[in-house]
Amino acid sequence: MESMPEPDDNKSNVEDHHRSFGARRLPNQNIVWKLRQRQCYPATPGTNWYQTRSFYQNICPNFTVVDVEKRLCFMRKFSPDGNSFIAFSLDQKSIEIYQFQGPSAAESLLQSGIDSTSLRSKIFDLFFKRKFITTVTSQGELLNRECSLYTDDSRYVVVCSAIAVPEEPTPYFYDIYRNNESVFPNVRSPLEHYSIHIVDLYTGQHCDKRSFRYDKIYLSHNQGLYLYNNILAVLSVQQQTIHIFQITKHGLFIDIRTIGRFCFDDDELALSALSTNITGSNRSQMTNGSDESRFSDRTRPFCDTAINSLKHRLLTYLWKNAYNQGPDGLRRFYKHYVYFCSLRMWKMQMLDEEHLLIKYANEDVVTMRVMDPNAQPSLFVIYNTKSTQVIAVFENTSELLLRLFEEFCDQFRNAQLHLPMPFTSSASNNLHARQLLRRFKDTIVSAKYGGHIEAVKRLLAQLPISAQSFSSSPYLDLSLFSYDDKWISQLERPKPCGDHPIK
């Protein structure tokens, strides 16, 4: 029989075990050593971009000036190259274009030893030099302060303006309802006149604009617009139509296609040729002017009995999917057929130049009649604009879509299209961001009225993601820096100002 070890032997074994785990060695942060290493030793394949970003740890902001006196305007955001900054005038009719003078612009002022009051009043004009004030709107329209999109070359900025539709004169019925998918406006979702403008940041010139009358486009945080490279998509919620434009190198809008009632460019031509033959045969049977008037109303797009092209493609995909599931799948499809027909487009984003991610929901959700819209059932549709085919359909409880979103988060955000090698800190490429996401998911699962399905809904409620709503700054990379997301985050939204400057 083996003898039991003595207590002293146990204590010595534990001490030896702890000594085998040494303190974690931190990498050398000396910038001279880093530059020498980069010069002499090539980076491991696939890690060059990560090593380049690590240099930001040696050059980071270390001084904050609070309560700075700025010009009387609404500050917006920097251009992608960081050279320009735009702001909206107080009357929201003009945009002000500033040129950033660099981080060393206030060096002489800071070293002069002036009092804090004078410093706060002068430092803004040293960092930002106003180049142009461009009047954009007219006829009472006001610019939306939360809507602006930059082109990838940082030369043009797209801004939007709106004005409420006056009660008098009363709008013509068929100006409000232009097809049989048009939604009914209400107090929480009133009609407005919209204009989309493009301004040259180099010259301050107002280059072009497009107008949308008696419409509803959600402009706040770029929800109703999406810019991918030089392709601009605009979602008209009122008319249930997606307008696709191309921005030329001269800052002009070119109409590419309109998706909604028709999908192909020649669909309307084919339908008009068919309706002309039917109209001619029916007109010969009319007896008086009232019959002709009623017939003219029945030929309006709002009175169409046929399903519009985009909705038809969605229903076709759902039917084929149900057919492949057998009789039970078809039974479920016919059971929910009325619900599918009542769905309306709510939000959208571009995944690339040909694919759209469209979110469908009930009309009460789309027109803001319900209090908690993200808790309502909805569908996510991936649509190819070139082939006019529906690629996939997901429910807002789909675990497959959530897994795709977590693993390919950068493809949904499209935060750095202007760079040859886009990189952002997200759950798909950063361990720390993934841990935060899992912690958030676990919090919802363990909540009182939570659960796994509720967690999936809450996470998928982020989709579709608004254009240019995430910052790609390396100072927000969780693998390089740590910060409290209550005061600062990658999502570009207004944050409350803390009592202490961010360090």
Side-chain angles (χ1 to χ4, degrees), residues 190-256:
L191 294 179
E192 294 178 295
H193 298 316
Y194 297 89
S195 295
I196 299 177
H197 314 265
I198 184 167
V199 179
D200 191 338
L201 297 177
Y202 293 177
T203 63
Q205 180 183 1
H206 182 201
C207 299
D208 199 2
K209 81 170 185 177
R210 284 290 186 273
S211 297
F212 301 87
R213 309 269 301 172
Y214 305 106
D215 216 328
K216 188 61 185 179
I217 302 173
Y218 294 124
L219 299 180
S220 59
H221 307 303
N222 305 327
Q223 291 184 68
L225 294 85
Y226 204 95
L227 181 62
Y228 189 97
N229 291 331
N230 62 341
I231 304 298
L232 176 67
V234 181
L235 171 61
S236 166
V237 174
Q238 172 62 30
Q239 309 303 338
Q240 288 295 290
T241 302
I242 299 177
H243 305 271
I244 308 293
F245 304 97
Q246 181 180 0
I247 299 178
T248 67
K249 62 180 180 180
H250 301 294
L252 301 176
F253 291 119
I254 296 179
D255 299 333
I256 297 181

Side-chain angles (χ1 to χ4, degrees), residues 225-379:
L225 294 85
Y226 204 95
L227 181 62
Y228 189 97
N229 291 331
N230 62 341
I231 304 298
L232 176 67
V234 181
L235 171 61
S236 166
V237 174
Q238 172 62 30
Q239 309 303 338
Q240 288 295 290
T241 302
I242 299 177
H243 305 271
I244 308 293
F245 304 97
Q246 181 180 0
I247 299 178
T248 67
K249 62 180 180 180
H250 301 294
L252 301 176
F253 291 119
I254 296 179
D255 299 333
I256 297 181
R257 63 176 59 91
T258 300
I259 304 170
R261 187 184 178 211
F262 304 112
C263 291
F264 284 112
D265 297 336
D266 56 349
D267 284 351
E268 186 174 7
L269 181 63
L271 180 62
S272 61
L274 177 63
S275 61
T276 300
N277 297 332
I278 299 176
T279 301
S281 60
N282 290 336
R283 282 184 184 276
S284 61
Q285 303 175 6
M286 294 180 185
T287 58
N288 53 45
S290 60
D291 291 339
E292 186 172 355
S293 177
R294 287 194 296 269
F295 178 79
S296 177
D297 289 339
R298 289 198 299 270
T299 59
R300 297 281 185 175
F302 178 74
C303 302
D304 281 347
T305 57
I307 303 173
N308 76 8
S309 298
L310 183 58
K311 179 65 69 66
H312 181 266
R313 280 158 174 76
L314 172 60
L315 294 174
T316 301
Y317 178 90
L318 293 175
W319 184 88
K320 289 181 178 179
N321 190 35
Y323 180 80
N324 294 332
Q325 297 176 7
D328 292 338
L330 287 174
R331 193 177 299 112
R332 287 192 298 268
F333 172 79
Y334 292 123
K335 178 181 179 181
H336 298 96
Y337 178 78
V338 176
Y339 168 73
F340 294 147
C341 291
S342 67
L343 292 175
R344 296 293 183 266
M345 287 188 288
W346 183 17
K347 300 177 182 178
M348 66 89 197
Q349 77 166 97
M350 298 184 68
L351 300 177
D352 54 34
E353 294 181 345
E354 294 184 358
H355 292 87
L356 292 172
L357 175 63
I358 308 172
K359 187 174 185 178
Y360 279 87
N362 188 272
E363 184 171 340
D364 291 339
V365 177
V366 172
T367 55
M368 302 300 174
R369 288 190 177 97
V370 296
M371 298 302 296
D372 190 7
N374 290 322
Q376 304 300 320
S378 59
L379 293 181

